[in-house]
Amino acid sequence: MTNDQISFLNRLAIRAGEEILKIYAEPFDVENKADGSPVTKADAVAEKIILAGLAEGFPGVPVVAEEAVEAGHLPAVGDRYFLVDPLDGTKEFLKKNGEFTVNIALIDHGKPVYGVVSAPALGEIFWGGTLEGDAAAGQAFSGRIEGGDITAVKPIKVRTPPAEGLSVLASRSHMSDETAELIGRLKVAEQLSVGSSLKLCWVAAGRADLYPRLAPTMQWDIAAGDAVVRAAGGAVVLAETHEDFAYRVPQGARKDDLRNAHFIAVSSRELLPALASAA
């Protein structure tokens, strides 16, 4: 990854977001996928832009993208490929609360080594990577989106969990009983709700300490945010074993093979013993 490639990916996420906002501002139809989840024209338009951009900027690197997979197009991948969610948080999109994102992640040997998450309606963008030798290795950033450019760029990092209690994030639209029970067994100072992969970015930016997700998600939902968390010094681990979350697309995979196990994003691995005792 070079600085030019990083800028290219960030700009690609912004371009997709610009087209999403055009649809967001007007009346639009809503359809349901086979699993009952909603989808709009914005998902398809954003994915088309991202796929075309990745084909231009990263020729030969396979792309696993949500709407293409939904249509039955899941490419064979090797160790290096992109995971794309063109519009994460469709329910937030429908509610018009602005808490939806565009997610682009580069996976290498099971790890999300670079990711960008843009929140076009909020004018926010987060990105980071952990590739050795990368100009952004071990660094995560946030910025504002203004007129198609990124401004107010600043490095972000996870915070040290405060002694008075944790700030815990929960999904605004997908809260499960298991997640609520886990949160109830922890020393929590405040519980926050926000949509889409913004939860992962909030952990990365030091706005919260913990994001447990004990409910269904797909790999493309979290890969970009996971990259930002890792680059900011945090971790995304399996809820049961606390091993680092790994990304895999098995040979001959279908959509259900890309469903995630339950996971927890933490600002510090020092929180893991408390989570184990609370389980």
Side-chain angles (χ1 to χ4, degrees), residues 91-244:
K91 289 187 176 180
E92 316 312 325
F93 183 84
L94 299 179
K95 294 175 184 175
K96 297 279 189 173
N97 65 18
E99 296 175 354
F100 55 89
T101 59
V102 177
N103 301 337
I104 304 173
L106 178 63
I107 307 299
D108 198 332
H109 288 83
K111 297 180 180 180
V113 294
Y114 198 79
V116 54
V117 176
S118 74
L122 303 179
E124 297 180 354
I125 188 167
F126 303 84
W127 69 96
T130 54
L131 273 173
E132 291 185 8
D134 186 349
Q139 297 182 54
F141 301 88
S142 69
R144 297 289 306 169
I145 303 171
E146 298 182 356
D149 295 321
I150 301 176
T151 65
V153 175
K154 61 181 181 181
I156 56 174
K157 63 179 181 179
V158 296
R159 70 180 190 175
T160 300
E164 58 268 25
L166 302 173
S167 291
V168 179
L169 283 161
S171 174
R172 188 179 296 285
S173 298
H174 301 278
M175 184 68 164
S176 70
D177 291 340
E178 292 86 353
T179 303
E181 289 173 6
L182 174 63
I183 293 172
R185 292 191 293 268
L186 298 171
K187 184 180 180 181
V188 176
E190 63 176 344
Q191 182 173 322
L192 309 170
S193 293
V194 68
S196 69
S197 56
L198 285 169
K199 293 181 285 296
L200 291 158
C201 296
W202 279 24
V203 172
R207 300 184 194 178
D209 306 296
L210 182 72
Y211 165 38
R213 184 59 181 255
L214 310 184
T217 54
M218 303 298 291
Q219 289 189 24
W220 48 68
D221 292 324
I222 71 168
D226 184 351
V228 178
V229 169
R230 297 189 196 205
V236 176
V237 301
L238 295 171
E240 291 189 1
T241 64
H242 294 173
E243 297 174 346
D244 283 341

